Amino acid sequence: MKIYIYIYYASFLQSRKKNEVPEIPVYTLLSFIQTSNLITFTNIMMLITRLDINYDVRKIALVAPILFYFLNYYYFTKRGNGEIIIKNESYSLGKYSFLLDVFGFASFPLVVLTYYFYREF
C-alpha cells in the first residue's frame, strides 16, 4: 500500500501543474496500476498453487479499474488522506522518483508475462 501512496504523492504534484482537478489523472493511473498488480498477483498465486481456474482476465481488466478508481476516490478524497499525504514531504523520493514510473510501466508487461506462464504451465 505504501508504494501507492508514493505514486499518489508524485503523480499529484505533477498533475497539479497541468490540471485544475489533479485527482482525476492520479486516480486513473493508480487504478490501472492496482489492477495490473491484482492480476499479476492472482496469476502468480495460481501458478504456485497449481490451481487451474479458467478466469476471464478481460472481465477483471474492465471491472477492476472502475472499482479501484472509486476506492481511491474514497480513500484519498472522502477520508481526507490525500491532503495529509500532500502536506507530508517525507513521501518525496527526489531524484529517485523515476523508480515509481519504472514500477508503473513494469506492472503492465508483468500481467502478460505471468498470464502466459499461468496458461502454459
Side-chain angles (χ1 to χ4, degrees):
M1 180 65 182
K2 192 141 182 144
I3 187 76
Y4 301 124
I5 292 173
Y6 282 110
I7 292 171
Y8 176 82
Y9 182 83
S11 299
F12 186 87
L13 292 181
Q14 289 176 353
S15 180
R16 187 169 57 182
K17 295 175 187 174
K18 299 175 187 172
N19 301 315
E20 288 185 27
V21 184
E23 293 88 2
I24 293 172
V26 173
Y27 296 157
T28 304
L29 174 68
L30 275 174
S31 65
F32 282 114
I33 291 173
Q34 289 167 333
T35 301
S36 297
N37 292 340
L38 173 71
I39 294 171
T40 301
F41 179 75
T42 303
N43 290 335
I44 290 172
M45 293 310 296
M46 298 276 209
L47 189 63
I48 290 172
T49 60
R50 303 270 186 208
L51 289 175
D52 192 26
I53 299 172
N54 191 11
Y55 70 97
D56 194 2
V57 174
R58 294 171 294 177
K59 289 180 183 175
I60 293 174
L62 288 175
V63 173
I66 297 167
L67 178 67
F68 280 127
Y69 186 91
F70 288 111
L71 287 173
N72 288 326
Y73 173 76
Y74 173 75
Y75 181 77
F76 291 113
T77 301
K78 287 294 184 185
R79 291 190 67 195
N81 291 331
E83 292 178 21
I84 296 169
I85 292 168
I86 294 301
K87 290 178 183 176
N88 188 354
E89 292 183 11
S90 67
Y91 291 112
S92 175
L93 294 178
K95 66 180 181 178
Y96 297 109
S97 63
F98 74 94
L99 293 174
L100 299 173
D101 294 331
V102 171
F103 175 78
F105 292 127
S107 64
F108 297 115
L110 276 176
V111 170
V112 176
L113 185 67
T114 58
Y115 188 71
Y116 171 77
F117 283 124
Y118 167 64
R119 295 310 307 160
E120 290 297 320
F121 299 110

